[in-house]
Amino acid sequence: MLRSLVKLQSRVGNVLSLSSVCPRGQLCKIPLNHKAYSTATSERKKFYEDVSISQGEGGLYEINLDRRKLKTPGGKLFTVPNEALAIAVATEWDAQRDTLKFYTMHLTTLCNTAIDNPTQRDKDQMIKAALKFLETDTICYRVEEPLGLVELQKNEWDPVLHWVEDRYNVVIGSSSSILGPEIPEATKDTFQQHLSSYSFWSLTGLEYVITQLKSVVLSLGVIDRHLTVEQAVLLSRLEEEYQIQRWGNVEWAHDYDMYELRARTAAGALFVHLSSESSTVKRKLLQD
């Protein structure tokens, strides 16, 4: 888990030194609230130089921009449950250059969603929403023609479907009917029990991955590390990729969509793991 975080940090350089992590209580509490980054396409000029994290009340971690505490779009103090996630978010802010591109800061956005909970949902409602995707799961809907695509879906999707059925001891199945397969109630109950073990924060990340891939099965494959992000994204776009191979595509548009989907899916998966991380990141990691 932490190896993924270290890789994330290495891409943007060694941005957080030991000196940037200040002792509790030494940072002045000047409120900082940026409603702009609640908009996916928003940008603004960078207004800070240094990014740091600190531990506040209740053991929660805060993000500081030039010694000012970050707040959410809803006006709440931006706090995360552990140091690993705090470092990842701080890395996003430190990686910004002259212009802040809020739409690239997926971990920050997910934290804002978990903290503000703008739709005011509880865990049961989030689980119910996630399971609705199971009824329309991408890899459960099969075509009857052309034969090439039929075979491609069978060869690429069936192994993943069989894996998740074995992994969770459930029956899902697939169908070429527009209504899709009929998911047994026992399967829904099993997944509901499994998702109930997730924290509210982890469910926020999982739901984000599911909405990107339009698939509970592929999302669980990524979270359980059975699939890489690249594999899951390609599987979620199987029909589109098949059509592109036959008819061609607008190269730059296709590549941009692919990279964006990979970035969002990777961020969601990383958020699930980091929000579940209970151990404290060793301070020496910040010095390496």
Side-chain angles (χ1 to χ4, degrees):
M1 188 178 301
L2 294 182
R3 284 197 297 269
S4 299
L5 178 56
V6 172
K7 288 180 181 178
L8 175 64
Q9 289 177 274
S10 67
R11 288 201 312 226
V12 296
N14 188 16
V15 296
L16 295 173
S17 65
L18 179 61
S19 60
S20 69
V21 183
C22 301
R24 185 186 305 182
Q26 291 190 6
L27 289 167
C28 53
K29 295 186 177 181
I30 301 176
L32 180 63
N33 184 14
H34 301 297
K35 294 188 177 181
Y37 61 69
S38 63
T39 304
T41 58
S42 61
E43 294 186 9
R44 65 167 293 183
K45 185 177 180 180
K46 186 176 180 180
F47 57 90
Y48 59 90
E49 293 294 331
D50 299 316
V51 183
S52 65
I53 67 172
S54 60
Q55 192 170 15
E57 297 180 2
L60 299 177
Y61 286 84
E62 303 163 354
I63 310 300
N64 310 286
L65 307 179
D66 288 343
R67 301 176 65 83
R68 294 179 296 175
K69 295 185 181 297
L70 183 64
K71 284 195 173 184
T72 70
K76 297 180 180 179
L77 182 64
F78 189 104
T79 57
V80 298
N82 58 61
E83 190 177 17
L85 183 55
I87 293 175
V89 171
T91 301
E92 281 191 332
W93 284 88
D94 195 87
Q96 303 298 307
R97 297 305 177 228
D98 295 335
T99 301
L100 302 180
K101 302 180 184 300
F102 296 117
Y103 52 85
T104 68
M105 302 168 71
H106 304 302
L107 295 176
T108 299
T109 300
L110 285 166
C111 288
N112 285 329
T113 301
I115 297 169
D116 284 343
N117 190 14
T119 56
Q120 297 299 305
R121 292 183 302 164
D122 57 24
K123 280 184 57 175
D124 289 341
Q125 290 171 311
M126 295 180 71
I127 292 170
K128 183 177 180 180
L131 292 180
K132 287 293 291 183
F133 275 92
L134 187 62
E135 301 172 1
T136 58
D137 201 288
T138 294
I139 73 171
C140 293
Y141 279 80
R142 307 298 174 88
V143 299
E144 294 182 318
E145 57 179 355
L147 182 60
L149 183 55
V150 171
E151 290 299 314
L152 188 62
Q153 290 179 340
K154 179 180 179 181
N155 294 336
E156 299 296 332
W157 283 350
D158 278 0
V160 183
L161 191 56
H162 294 156
W163 166 80
V164 80
E165 289 179 329
D166 291 341
R167 165 73 172 82
Y168 293 96
N169 192 26
V170 296
V171 175
I172 299 176
S174 61
S175 172
S176 57
S177 167
I178 192 172
L179 299 177
E182 185 174 344
I183 308 297
E185 288 301 319
T187 296
K188 296 178 183 178
D189 291 342
T190 297
F191 281 127
Q192 183 172 13
Q193 292 177 20
H194 173 68
L195 295 183
S196 294
S197 67
Y198 281 58
S199 68
F200 180 86
W201 282 64
S202 295
L203 280 173
T204 299
L206 176 61
E207 186 177 41
Y208 186 71
V209 176
I210 291 173
T211 57
Q212 302 308 311
L213 300 177
K214 305 297 187 294
S215 171
V216 174
V217 174
L218 293 178
S219 298
L220 290 175
V222 172
I223 301 303
D224 289 349
R225 296 187 176 91
H226 176 72
L227 298 172
T228 66
V229 168
E230 290 78 9
Q231 289 172 330
V233 167
L234 282 172
L235 289 172
S236 74
R237 294 166 54 94
L238 198 64
E239 183 172 356
E240 182 176 352
E241 295 299 317
Y242 174 81
Q243 298 296 344
I244 287 173
Q245 290 297 321
R246 293 188 65 189
W247 308 109
N249 69 295
V250 179
E251 185 174 350
W252 68 267
H254 169 264
D255 291 345
Y256 178 81
D257 289 344
M258 180 72 78
Y259 293 143
E260 279 293 295
L261 184 54
R262 285 178 181 174
R264 292 191 297 269
T265 302
L270 184 59
F271 186 84
V272 172
H273 291 299
L274 290 180
S275 60
S276 303
E277 177 60 56
S278 59
S279 62
T280 301
V281 177
K282 299 299 182 182
R283 296 299 172 91
K284 68 178 182 180
L285 284 177
L286 304 179
Q287 295 176 302
D288 293 340

